[in-house]
């Protein structure tokens, strides 16, 4: 495709390397995905029970050129046919982010292309624009991943208001810790979901935290401690941790997460007069959680949105979607763009 043939089309090469996925994608006008290549490092980290930052950075360096080359060729594009480069610059692991940022800067410099630094959480939210071409702001969105749990009001394509956030563990982090405690290993989310499927969600009454200062904030450390106490007292009674116990703990824990989320979402729909609700982030792959939130939203007459799992987990197409709207809004970064591991969502 020659540039002169393009009709109002912005082709973006996007890069994501904030944690343990090395990813690159090519998108058109933020919503059409020409390619979405993800190299997951999960197997490398599984033996350590979690992501090891140094290993992640090293693997990103090894893989990034290969992943970008594949993203371009799958899309039938080259570095000469793209219009801009978007890259996640935070939040995330600093060494991992730096690999993507340095790569994007090198391409932008060599090819004289605009460079757009993208907020990782905005990327997760924007995955919904890819899945639902008709979706437009304003809407509510719950971003739940291994590092974040944010309930946001998406005011327009580039501006967000944070309504609530976790005070301690992120939802995905809680899933991972519970999985480890009941001996399911890493990554915990899908394993806890599977175990919960065969368990009794009311076998144990784990707490649903309430935060007085902000009823939209989340806290998952209480439920995590309650689960650990239950496991310890079970062991002290000399009882064996068998599949039934594991499944019941997983289901009861998951029910506590579901109830906390549904309660806040329904309350926010009322208070902010929103009838559109979207989910995002790795935890949004959870089918039981999706079904419960869909039911809660639809019982209020609202519309429920949630991207397919491949767009929920870390990927670069979502960064292309967010990058496109930042680009339209005039955002351009210089070659001094840096990785910001603790980047906040204003
Ligand atoms: O968005 P993501 O891929 O990476 C981050 O930005 O953190 O999310 C990864 C997190 C992990 O904590 C993982 O356990 C969790 O999402 N996760 C799940 C499920 N699949 C992944 N949590 C609950 N149920 C799942 N099916
Ligand atoms: Zn993420």
């Amino acid at each position: 495709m020659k540039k002169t043939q393009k009709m109002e089309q912005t082709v973006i090469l996007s890069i994501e390397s904030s944690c343990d996925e090395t990813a690159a994608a090519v998108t058109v006008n933020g919503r059409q995905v020409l390619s979405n290549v993800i190299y997951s490092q999960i197997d490398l980290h599984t033996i350590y029970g979690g992501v090891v930052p140094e290993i992640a950075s090293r693997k990103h360096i090894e893989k990034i050129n290969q992943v970008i080359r594949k993203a371009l060729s799958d899309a039938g594009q080259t570095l000469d046919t793209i219009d801009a480069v978007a890259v996640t610059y935070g939040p995330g692991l600093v060494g991992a982010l730096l690999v993507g940022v340095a790569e994007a800067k090198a391409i932008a410099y060599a090819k004289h292309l605009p460079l757009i630094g993208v907020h990782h959480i905005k990327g997760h939210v924007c995955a919904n624009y890819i899945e639902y071409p008709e979706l437009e702001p304003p809407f509510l969105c719950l971003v739940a991943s291994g590092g974040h749990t944010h309930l946001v009001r998406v005011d327009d394509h580039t501006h967000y208001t944070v309504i609530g956030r976790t005070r301690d563990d992120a939802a995905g982090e809680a899933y991972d810790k519970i999985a480890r405690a009941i001996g399911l290993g890493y990554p915990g989310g899908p394993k806890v979901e599977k175990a919960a499927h065969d368990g009794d969600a009311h076998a144990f009454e784990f707490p649903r935290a309430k935060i007085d200062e902000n009823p939209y904030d989340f806290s998952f450390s209480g439920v995590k401690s309650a689960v650990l106490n239950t496991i310890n007292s079970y062991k002290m009674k000399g009882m064996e941790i068998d599949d039934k116990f594991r499944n019941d703990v997983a289901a009861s824990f998951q029910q506590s997460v579901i109830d906390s989320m549904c309660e806040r979402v329904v309350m926010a729909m009322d208070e902010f007069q929103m009838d559109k609700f979207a989910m995002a982030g790795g935890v949004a792959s959870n089918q039981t959680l999706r079904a419960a939130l869909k039911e809660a939203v639809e019982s209020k007459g609202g519309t429920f949105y949630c991207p397919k799992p491949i767009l929920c987990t870390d990927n670069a197409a979502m960064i292309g979607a967010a990058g496109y709207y930042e680009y339209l809004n005039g955002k351009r970064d210089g070659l001094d763009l840096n990785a910001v591991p603790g980047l906040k969502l204003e």
Side-chain angles (χ1 to χ4, degrees):
M1 205 193 303
K2 280 206 191 103
K3 280 208 169 148
T4 48
Q5 292 173 334
K6 288 180 192 164
M7 298 278 292
E8 302 286 319
Q9 291 209 322
T10 305
V11 181
I12 293 185
L13 168 69
S14 49
I15 300 170
E16 155 64 40
S17 69
S18 65
C19 190
D20 60 345
E21 266 91 24
T22 318
V26 178
T27 47
V28 181
N29 290 356
R31 303 221 183 201
Q32 188 194 349
V33 180
L34 298 186
S35 64
N36 190 18
V37 179
I38 305 171
Y39 168 76
S40 172
Q41 308 179 356
I42 227 155
D43 292 347
L44 283 172
H45 300 283
T46 299
I47 47 168
Y48 302 102
V51 177
V52 183
E54 289 79 6
I55 294 178
S57 318
R58 204 172 310 149
K59 208 66 195 172
H60 284 311
I61 294 174
E62 270 176 52
K63 288 287 169 186
I64 197 147
N65 284 322
Q66 202 177 316
V67 165
I68 290 173
R69 262 200 297 273
K70 179 155 171 47
L72 288 167
S73 81
D74 284 1
Q77 301 282 327
T78 70
L79 289 180
D80 293 311
T81 60
I82 56 171
D83 299 305
V85 187
V87 63
T88 305
Y89 74 108
L93 301 169
V94 66
L97 288 164
L98 274 170
V99 177
V101 168
E103 182 81 21
K105 289 200 286 193
I107 294 172
Y109 177 69
K111 295 291 174 182
H112 308 288
L113 291 169
L115 174 69
I116 309 143
V118 174
H119 195 297
H120 181 78
I121 298 179
K122 288 187 177 180
H124 275 301
V125 173
C126 292
N128 280 283
Y129 295 135
I130 298 172
E131 188 77 44
Y132 303 98
E134 75 287 2
L135 177 63
E136 292 294 337
F139 58 90
L140 286 173
C141 186
L142 176 64
V143 188
S145 71
H148 319 278
T149 305
H150 282 75
L151 181 59
V152 299
R153 194 179 67 201
V154 180
D155 299 314
D156 62 34
H157 288 113
T158 53
H159 296 95
Y160 296 61
T161 305
V162 179
I163 296 171
R165 67 180 88 220
T166 182
R167 295 283 178 120
D168 36 63
D169 292 348
E173 190 179 356
Y175 266 93
D176 293 335
K177 286 179 177 169
I178 298 307
R180 197 174 310 149
I182 54 177
L184 293 177
Y186 178 85
K191 291 180 176 163
V192 170
E193 178 180 12
K194 191 158 176 282
H197 190 260
D198 299 324
D200 173 4
H202 301 286
F204 303 100
E205 269 314 305
F206 295 134
R208 281 88 170 126
K210 285 211 166 35
I211 313 289
D212 289 339
E213 303 94 89
N214 181 2
Y216 294 109
D217 276 356
F218 295 90
S219 167
F220 296 110
S221 65
V223 59
K224 182 189 67 190
S225 303
V227 169
L228 295 178
N229 288 340
T230 302
I231 296 169
N232 285 340
S233 55
Y234 206 75
K235 281 183 185 161
M236 276 163 67
K237 284 184 203 150
M239 289 153 87
E240 196 194 332
I241 307 254
D242 56 11
D243 282 348
K244 178 171 172 7
F245 177 79
R246 266 191 208 101
N247 296 346
D248 286 349
V249 166
S252 303
F253 158 75
Q254 182 161 273
Q255 193 59 48
S256 152
V257 174
I258 288 174
D259 290 349
S260 304
M261 289 181 172
C262 287
E263 189 195 357
R264 284 158 178 77
V265 167
V266 164
M267 197 162 60
M269 284 175 74
D270 274 341
E271 182 174 344
F272 300 98
Q273 293 290 298
M274 291 274 167
D275 60 359
K276 289 186 276 185
F277 168 78
M279 282 191 79
V283 180
S285 318
N286 187 304
Q287 298 297 328
T288 316
L289 192 61
R290 288 160 85 116
L293 278 157
K294 183 173 193 292
E295 196 185 323
V297 169
E298 290 179 351
S299 75
K300 303 283 297 174
T303 311
F304 176 82
Y305 302 88
C306 190
K308 59 174 81 70
I310 193 73
L311 292 171
C312 286
T313 194
D314 285 351
N315 68 90
M318 69 182 197
I319 302 303
Y324 171 68
Y325 289 109
E326 298 288 358
Y327 176 81
L328 283 189
N329 201 35
K331 185 176 198 282
R332 302 289 183 273
D333 284 293
L335 293 176
D336 57 351
L337 178 70
N338 205 353
V340 184
L343 187 63
K344 294 270 175 292
L345 195 61
E346 334 74 270

